[in-house]
Amino acid sequence: MQYEVIVVGGSYAGLAAAMPLARARRRVLVIDAGRPRNRYAAHSHGFFGMDGWTPAEMLEEARYQLSTYPSVEQLPGQVQQARAHGEGFALTLADGRELGAQRLILATGVSDELPAIPGLRERWGRSVVHCPYCHGYEFERGALGVLATQATSMHQALLVPDWGPTTYFSQGAFEPDAEQTQRLAARGVAIERSRVVEVVGPDDGLTGVRLEDGRELALAGLFVAPSTRPADTLAEQLGCAYDEGPWGPLLRVDEFKRTTVAGVYAAGDASSAMASVSLAVAAGTLAGVGAHQSLLGF
């Protein structure tokens, strides 16, 4: 079946990409595997009009609003293969169906790779988080930690004190130099060099971390910058170029979210190091506008 645009990924960027195309009365299909990156979070914060909603509520409302446009279809499913076909593209779904489109928008996101520390993943998105702007306020200025996972963790440690007294856990790998030590001290950040070996607390809550020297430090929240990888291989199959981002590879896009393959657009966390609902929606909108204008020959 042929569509003008297929959007792969029906989270914030993908649904936002479909909206301008729907309003231009273009025939659009959104295919979604149902695994939004923030599905572990109890609530989402910082997006005007929906601050404090659950991720599921936000997506349900967005899907409903998009469904009121008759030229748009939404399909649950997993795309396994993508290739150029004629003047457009062909997609193969996990159930064997084949679909075609003149343009593709990839909004499939990334997968987070966390350190292998007991208790960490179980609390991911709740009391173990990555973004102080998204989650910091809810810790009520309690004691906070930053777990070093890479060099960019230093930037995180300098940000977090605005949300509570902060300890930087260097983990024996990302030791601050003299200048960084001075900057951390100016922000009131304590440096802890004994490794975190376990995250502790009831259920998915957090009471603190256990260190390799046997001590336990009380914390209200722990910030971690995970490494990321593309959630699927579709862009690679199509031949799209990647650049190395601060946490993992990112699809190379221009201001209208065009990838290096003509007719293929990308939006959301797969192509941006800055991750938030607001930024994903903005990027998706630009991708939708870019795809529409390309159909007009712009």
Side-chain angles (χ1 to χ4, degrees):
M1 186 175 290
Q2 186 74 22
Y3 294 88
E4 290 178 283
V5 181
I6 290 180
V7 182
V8 185
S11 189
Y12 309 102
L15 294 172
M19 183 62 79
L21 291 156
R23 294 187 56 79
R25 302 182 187 275
R26 295 292 176 161
R27 191 168 187 219
V28 182
L29 175 66
V30 180
I31 304 173
D32 184 43
R35 295 192 296 271
R37 187 183 185 189
N38 69 346
R39 63 190 180 275
Y40 303 105
H43 298 91
S44 176
H45 293 280
F47 188 63
F48 280 125
M50 291 184 172
D51 185 61
W53 288 36
T54 70
E57 289 171 337
M58 297 174 74
L59 292 172
E60 181 180 3
E61 178 64 20
R63 285 192 291 262
Y64 166 73
Q65 292 184 12
L66 196 59
S67 73
T68 64
Y69 291 89
S71 67
V72 178
E73 295 178 44
Q74 300 181 58
L75 176 67
Q78 177 74 47
V79 179
Q80 288 192 334
Q81 295 182 340
R83 67 184 190 280
H85 181 70
E87 296 184 356
F89 303 92
L91 302 180
T92 304
L93 276 62
D95 62 11
R97 278 179 290 178
E98 292 200 354
L99 303 169
Q102 297 175 51
R103 302 289 185 272
L104 290 182
I105 299 177
L106 302 178
T108 50
V110 298
S111 295
D112 293 306
E113 298 182 338
L114 296 167
I117 296 175
L120 193 70
R121 177 163 288 281
E122 296 90 329
R123 295 167 175 82
W124 179 239
R126 295 172 175 83
S127 51
V128 176
V129 296
H130 75 292
C131 173
Y133 298 105
C134 302
H135 304 286
Y137 187 88
E138 281 62 44
F139 292 129
E140 300 289 351
R141 299 198 62 79
L144 303 174
V146 172
L147 185 72
T149 58
Q150 50 199 295
T152 56
S153 296
M154 185 61 56
H155 176 72
Q156 200 174 39
L158 292 169
L159 276 179
V160 168
D162 272 13
W163 286 270
T166 302
T167 299
Y168 173 74
F169 299 95
S170 67
Q171 295 299 96
F174 298 98
E175 187 68 27
D177 60 25
E179 180 184 355
Q180 291 168 334
T181 299
Q182 187 176 27
R183 293 181 68 191
L184 289 171
R187 293 284 283 151
V189 178
I191 300 173
E192 177 57 63
R193 292 178 170 86
S194 183
R195 294 175 186 265
V196 173
V197 295
E198 186 180 4
V199 179
V200 297
D203 300 321
D204 62 1
L206 176 71
T207 57
V209 294
R210 187 169 290 116
L211 306 179
E212 65 180 349
D213 63 9
R215 287 179 296 141
E216 188 170 309
L217 297 186
L219 294 175
L222 181 63
F223 288 85
V224 181
S227 298
T228 62
R229 57 179 173 79
D232 60 33
T233 64
L234 299 181
E236 183 180 351
Q237 292 174 32
L238 291 162
C240 301
Y242 281 88
D243 293 317
E244 192 58 38
W247 298 286
L250 295 170
L251 277 166
R252 186 183 304 165
V253 295
D254 67 8
E255 67 275 13
F256 272 105
K257 309 307 173 184
R258 288 179 283 247
T259 70
T260 55
V261 174
V264 180
Y265 295 73
D269 295 350
S271 58
S272 173
M274 297 291 288
S276 76
V277 173
S278 301
L279 294 172
V281 168
T285 301
L286 286 170
V289 170
H292 172 250
Q293 293 190 10
S294 75
L295 292 169
L296 303 176
F298 291 3

